Amino acid sequence: MTDPVEIVDYDPNWPMRFAALGEALRTALGDVAARIDHIGSTSVAGLAAKPVIDVQVAVRSFEPLEEFRIPLERLGMVYRAGNPELTKRYFREAPGQRRTHVHVRELGSFSQQLPLLFRDYLRAHPAAAAEFADAKRRCAERFHDEREKYVAAKEPFVWDIVRQADTWAQSVGWRPGPSDA
């Protein structure tokens, strides 16, 4: 990835962009998608973020891959077979389209639950979201042209939030709400 790391102020259009994409994904995937959720920083009102809509599609199984790969490719998504994360299947926008990441994960897995908990915790704790935004901005300033170093620098902040989110989840009995699309 050679594009610079850019953290921008929250855009109130992000939920609408997700809603349109979520509707298209729901139509294309039908029951293959057990859940379709807006995740990542653009899913938290008020949170500064990279202007990339992250979507999580939860499926019951990665096999057969074609059940979700073909409908996603028909929508113009590009499958990234070389993704090193073995707990997800990863798709990106078609060349020339707005930046979009589609993370396909198995329903009920840790990797599927974690982004929902992270999002819900930040939605419920605006001060933590503001601190996270500040950390992301500092990391982006330092590693503007080095995306991998930006991700690595941000990681301790992410895991600190995960620990806080786990404590919160235990205290409130957190469970994911309904699917976003």
Side-chain angles (χ1 to χ4, degrees), residues 58-59 105-113:
V59 296
R105 295 185 171 110
E106 289 186 313
L107 181 66
S109 67
F110 176 78
S111 64
Q112 182 260 331
Q113 296 286 305

Side-chain angles (χ1 to χ4, degrees), residues 71-78 92-95 97:
L72 290 173
E73 287 178 340
R74 284 186 183 140
L75 286 177
M77 298 294 163
V78 177
R92 288 274 307 267
E93 75 286 347
Q97 298 299 310

Side-chain angles (χ1 to χ4, degrees), residues 27 41 75:
T27 299
S41 294
L75 286 177

Side-chain angles (χ1 to χ4, degrees), residues 150-170:
Y150 163 79
V151 171
K154 184 179 71 161
E155 191 170 307
F157 300 102
V158 169
W159 284 107
D160 186 48
I161 292 169
V162 168
R163 284 188 293 276
Q164 294 171 44
D166 180 58
T167 300
W168 171 74
Q170 298 305 317

Side-chain angles (χ1 to χ4, degrees), residues 18 25-26 29-39 55-63 67-68 72 87-89 91 102-116 176-181:
F18 165 78
L25 289 167
R26 176 55 66 204
L29 293 165
D31 290 340
V32 170
R35 295 183 62 98
I36 299 172
D37 293 290
H38 189 185
I39 61 168
V55 179
Q56 179 171 262
V57 174
V59 296
R60 288 168 189 79
S61 175
F62 286 146
E63 299 299 330
E67 280 190 354
F68 56 88
L72 290 173
T87 60
K88 78 175 179 183
R89 304 301 178 257
F91 294 79
V102 177
H103 311 263
V104 179
R105 295 185 171 110
E106 289 186 313
L107 181 66
S109 67
F110 176 78
S111 64
Q112 182 260 331
Q113 296 286 305
L114 184 60
L116 298 175
S179 175
D180 294 334

Side-chain angles (χ1 to χ4, degrees), residues 5-153:
V5 177
E6 177 187 20
I7 303 298
V8 300
D9 289 339
Y10 179 77
D11 183 340
N13 291 314
W14 288 337
M16 292 177 279
R17 284 186 47 210
F18 165 78
L21 179 57
E23 184 176 323
L25 289 167
R26 176 55 66 204
T27 299
L29 293 165
D31 290 340
V32 170
R35 295 183 62 98
I36 299 172
D37 293 290
H38 189 185
I39 61 168
S41 294
T42 62
S43 71
V44 179
L47 181 57
K50 294 188 305 291
V52 177
I53 301 297
D54 282 287
V55 179
Q56 179 171 262
V57 174
V59 296
R60 288 168 189 79
S61 175
F62 286 146
E63 299 299 330
L65 174 68
E66 292 74 27
E67 280 190 354
F68 56 88
R69 181 179 177 172
I70 291 170
L72 290 173
E73 287 178 340
R74 284 186 183 140
L75 286 177
M77 298 294 163
V78 177
Y79 179 52
R80 298 293 181 102
N83 171 51
E85 289 184 51
L86 299 180
T87 60
K88 78 175 179 183
R89 304 301 178 257
Y90 182 54
F91 294 79
R92 288 274 307 267
E93 75 286 347
Q97 298 299 310
R98 276 192 169 160
R99 190 78 175 268
T100 305
H101 298 168
V102 177
H103 311 263
V104 179
R105 295 185 171 110
E106 289 186 313
L107 181 66
S109 67
F110 176 78
S111 64
Q112 182 260 331
Q113 296 286 305
L114 184 60
L116 298 175
L117 172 60
F118 192 86
R119 175 200 70 188
D120 290 355
Y121 176 78
L122 290 178
R123 285 177 173 176
H125 297 86
E131 288 175 22
F132 185 46
D134 289 343
K136 291 192 306 176
R137 287 185 192 279
R138 287 192 309 272
C139 292
E141 283 177 23
R142 185 169 178 201
F143 299 110
H144 185 257
D145 295 311
E146 301 172 278
R147 187 168 296 272
E148 288 181 15
K149 288 183 179 179
Y150 163 79
V151 171

